[in-house]
Short mmCIF file of all heavy atoms in Angstrom, two decimals:
data_model
loop_
_atom_site.label_atom_id
_atom_site.label_comp_id
_atom_site.label_asym_id
_atom_site.label_seq_id
_atom_site.Cartn_x
_atom_site.Cartn_y
_atom_site.Cartn_z
N VAL A 149 89.67 115.78 122.15
CA VAL A 149 90.74 116.73 122.42
C VAL A 149 90.94 117.57 121.16
O VAL A 149 91.01 117.02 120.05
CB VAL A 149 92.06 116.02 122.78
CG1 VAL A 149 93.17 117.04 122.97
CG2 VAL A 149 91.89 115.20 124.05
N SER A 158 105.71 127.73 121.90
CA SER A 158 105.36 127.56 123.31
C SER A 158 105.96 126.28 123.86
O SER A 158 106.35 126.21 125.03
CB SER A 158 103.85 127.55 123.48
OG SER A 158 103.27 126.46 122.80
N LYS A 167 113.62 121.22 121.02
CA LYS A 167 114.17 121.63 119.73
C LYS A 167 115.51 120.97 119.46
O LYS A 167 115.83 120.61 118.33
CB LYS A 167 114.31 123.15 119.70
CG LYS A 167 114.35 123.74 118.30
CD LYS A 167 114.12 125.24 118.33
CE LYS A 167 113.93 125.77 116.93
NZ LYS A 167 113.59 127.23 116.93
N ALA A 192 87.67 97.66 122.30
CA ALA A 192 87.30 98.14 120.96
C ALA A 192 87.14 99.65 121.01
O ALA A 192 86.09 100.17 121.39
CB ALA A 192 86.01 97.48 120.49
N LYS A 202 99.27 122.92 107.95
CA LYS A 202 99.28 123.96 106.92
C LYS A 202 100.03 125.20 107.38
O LYS A 202 100.76 125.82 106.60
CB LYS A 202 97.84 124.32 106.53
CG LYS A 202 97.76 125.36 105.41
CD LYS A 202 96.33 125.61 104.99
CE LYS A 202 96.27 126.60 103.83
NZ LYS A 202 94.87 126.83 103.36
N ALA A 204 102.36 125.37 109.60
CA ALA A 204 103.67 125.03 110.17
C ALA A 204 104.77 125.24 109.12
O ALA A 204 104.53 125.11 107.92
CB ALA A 204 103.68 123.58 110.65
N TYR A 208 113.74 119.83 106.51
CA TYR A 208 114.55 118.64 106.77
C TYR A 208 115.76 118.69 105.83
O TYR A 208 115.74 118.17 104.71
CB TYR A 208 113.74 117.37 106.52
CG TYR A 208 114.48 116.10 106.86
CD1 TYR A 208 114.70 115.73 108.18
CD2 TYR A 208 114.96 115.27 105.84
CE1 TYR A 208 115.39 114.58 108.48
CE2 TYR A 208 115.66 114.11 106.15
CZ TYR A 208 115.87 113.77 107.46
OH TYR A 208 116.56 112.61 107.76
N GLY A 226 89.51 104.86 112.54
CA GLY A 226 89.53 103.41 112.61
C GLY A 226 89.10 102.87 113.96
O GLY A 226 88.69 103.61 114.86
N ALA A 233 93.86 96.06 114.44
CA ALA A 233 93.66 97.46 114.10
C ALA A 233 93.00 97.52 112.73
O ALA A 233 93.45 96.86 111.79
CB ALA A 233 94.99 98.20 114.07
N ASP A 236 89.49 102.47 108.72
CA ASP A 236 88.37 102.66 107.80
C ASP A 236 88.66 103.75 106.77
O ASP A 236 88.18 103.70 105.64
CB ASP A 236 87.10 103.03 108.57
CG ASP A 236 86.67 101.92 109.51
OD1 ASP A 236 86.64 100.76 109.06
OD2 ASP A 236 86.37 102.21 110.68
N ALA A 239 93.80 109.44 105.03
CA ALA A 239 93.95 110.49 104.02
C ALA A 239 95.18 111.35 104.34
O ALA A 239 95.36 111.77 105.49
CB ALA A 239 92.70 111.37 103.96
N GLY A 249 93.35 105.75 101.63
CA GLY A 249 93.44 104.30 101.74
C GLY A 249 92.64 103.76 102.89
O GLY A 249 91.97 104.49 103.63
N ARG A 273 106.20 118.57 89.42
CA ARG A 273 106.90 119.84 89.60
C ARG A 273 106.69 120.37 91.02
O ARG A 273 107.62 120.88 91.65
CB ARG A 273 106.42 120.87 88.57
CG ARG A 273 107.17 122.20 88.64
CD ARG A 273 106.71 123.15 87.56
NE ARG A 273 107.15 122.74 86.24
CZ ARG A 273 108.35 122.97 85.74
NH1 ARG A 273 109.25 123.63 86.46
NH2 ARG A 273 108.67 122.58 84.53
N ALA A 277 109.75 120.80 93.80
CA ALA A 277 110.01 122.14 94.33
C ALA A 277 110.12 122.14 95.86
O ALA A 277 110.65 123.09 96.44
CB ALA A 277 108.90 123.08 93.89
N VAL A 287 111.31 119.39 85.21
CA VAL A 287 110.40 118.24 85.14
C VAL A 287 108.96 118.74 85.27
O VAL A 287 108.68 119.62 86.07
CB VAL A 287 110.69 117.22 86.27
CG1 VAL A 287 109.69 116.08 86.22
CG2 VAL A 287 112.10 116.69 86.16
N LEU A 291 101.93 111.74 88.16
CA LEU A 291 101.89 110.29 88.31
C LEU A 291 100.71 109.92 89.20
O LEU A 291 100.47 110.58 90.22
CB LEU A 291 103.18 109.76 88.94
CG LEU A 291 104.41 109.59 88.06
CD1 LEU A 291 105.59 109.15 88.93
CD2 LEU A 291 104.17 108.58 86.96
N VAL A 294 98.47 103.33 92.54
CA VAL A 294 97.56 102.43 93.26
C VAL A 294 98.40 101.30 93.82
O VAL A 294 99.26 100.75 93.12
CB VAL A 294 96.46 101.85 92.34
CG1 VAL A 294 95.58 100.87 93.12
CG2 VAL A 294 95.60 102.97 91.76
N ALA A 297 98.34 95.46 99.32
CA ALA A 297 99.16 94.45 100.00
C ALA A 297 98.27 93.58 100.86
O ALA A 297 97.32 94.08 101.49
CB ALA A 297 100.25 95.11 100.84
N LYS A 303 105.34 86.17 108.01
CA LYS A 303 106.05 85.51 106.92
C LYS A 303 106.08 86.46 105.72
O LYS A 303 105.33 86.30 104.76
CB LYS A 303 105.36 84.20 106.54
CG LYS A 303 105.34 83.17 107.67
CD LYS A 303 104.62 81.90 107.22
CE LYS A 303 104.59 80.87 108.34
NZ LYS A 303 103.87 79.62 107.93
N GLY A 311 100.44 96.62 92.38
CA GLY A 311 100.38 98.07 92.22
C GLY A 311 100.39 98.49 90.77
O GLY A 311 100.64 97.68 89.86
N VAL A 313 101.17 102.24 88.20
CA VAL A 313 101.58 103.63 88.05
C VAL A 313 101.15 104.08 86.67
O VAL A 313 101.38 103.35 85.69
CB VAL A 313 103.11 103.81 88.20
CG1 VAL A 313 103.51 105.26 88.03
CG2 VAL A 313 103.59 103.28 89.55
N LYS A 317 101.34 112.28 80.82
CA LYS A 317 102.56 112.83 80.23
C LYS A 317 103.57 113.17 81.31
O LYS A 317 103.20 113.71 82.36
CB LYS A 317 102.25 114.10 79.42
CG LYS A 317 103.46 114.69 78.71
CD LYS A 317 103.08 115.92 77.88
CE LYS A 317 102.80 117.11 78.77
NZ LYS A 317 102.63 118.37 77.99
N PHE A 323 112.89 115.45 76.81
CA PHE A 323 112.31 114.13 76.60
C PHE A 323 110.91 114.07 77.21
O PHE A 323 110.71 114.49 78.35
CB PHE A 323 113.19 113.05 77.23
CG PHE A 323 114.60 113.05 76.70
CD1 PHE A 323 115.61 113.73 77.38
CD2 PHE A 323 114.91 112.40 75.52
CE1 PHE A 323 116.90 113.74 76.89
CE2 PHE A 323 116.21 112.40 75.03
CZ PHE A 323 117.21 113.08 75.71
N PHE A 332 102.60 96.01 88.48
CA PHE A 332 103.58 95.07 89.01
C PHE A 332 102.96 94.23 90.11
O PHE A 332 101.92 94.58 90.68
CB PHE A 332 104.81 95.81 89.55
CG PHE A 332 104.48 96.81 90.62
CD1 PHE A 332 104.42 96.45 91.95
CD2 PHE A 332 104.22 98.14 90.29
CE1 PHE A 332 104.11 97.37 92.93
CE2 PHE A 332 103.90 99.07 91.27
CZ PHE A 332 103.85 98.69 92.59
N LYS A 342 104.14 93.25 85.18
CA LYS A 342 103.12 92.76 84.26
C LYS A 342 103.07 93.56 82.97
O LYS A 342 102.89 93.01 81.88
CB LYS A 342 101.74 92.81 84.93
CG LYS A 342 101.61 91.94 86.17
CD LYS A 342 100.23 92.11 86.76
CE LYS A 342 100.03 91.28 88.02
NZ LYS A 342 98.68 91.46 88.60
N GLU A 350 107.65 109.69 69.14
CA GLU A 350 106.57 109.36 68.20
C GLU A 350 106.38 107.86 68.01
O GLU A 350 105.74 107.41 67.06
CB GLU A 350 106.79 110.04 66.84
CG GLU A 350 106.86 111.56 66.94
CD GLU A 350 107.00 112.21 65.58
OE1 GLU A 350 106.84 111.51 64.57
OE2 GLU A 350 107.25 113.43 65.54
N PHE A 353 106.30 102.02 73.05
CA PHE A 353 107.14 100.98 73.63
C PHE A 353 106.34 100.20 74.66
O PHE A 353 105.50 100.76 75.37
CB PHE A 353 108.37 101.60 74.31
CG PHE A 353 109.32 102.28 73.37
CD1 PHE A 353 109.05 103.56 72.90
CD2 PHE A 353 110.48 101.64 72.97
CE1 PHE A 353 109.93 104.19 72.03
CE2 PHE A 353 111.37 102.26 72.10
CZ PHE A 353 111.09 103.54 71.62
N ASN A 358 110.01 89.21 84.59
CA ASN A 358 109.84 88.36 85.77
C ASN A 358 111.18 88.18 86.45
O ASN A 358 112.19 87.97 85.76
CB ASN A 358 109.28 86.99 85.40
CG ASN A 358 107.79 87.03 85.14
OD1 ASN A 358 106.99 87.12 86.05
ND2 ASN A 358 107.42 86.98 83.85
N ASP A 360 112.83 85.86 89.61
CA ASP A 360 112.64 84.80 90.60
C ASP A 360 113.73 84.93 91.67
O ASP A 360 114.91 84.67 91.41
CB ASP A 360 112.71 83.44 89.91
CG ASP A 360 112.38 82.28 90.86
OD1 ASP A 360 112.30 82.52 92.08
OD2 ASP A 360 112.21 81.16 90.38
#
Side-chain angles (χ1 to χ4, degrees):
V149 176
S158 63
K167 202 165 190 176
K202 183 176 182 178
Y208 184 73
D236 297 313
R273 184 177 289 278
V287 177
L291 280 176
V294 177
K303 297 179 180 180
V313 180
K317 183 178 73 172
F323 303 96
F332 58 88
K342 298 178 180 179
E350 300 184 11
F353 294 79
N358 282 285
D360 186 350

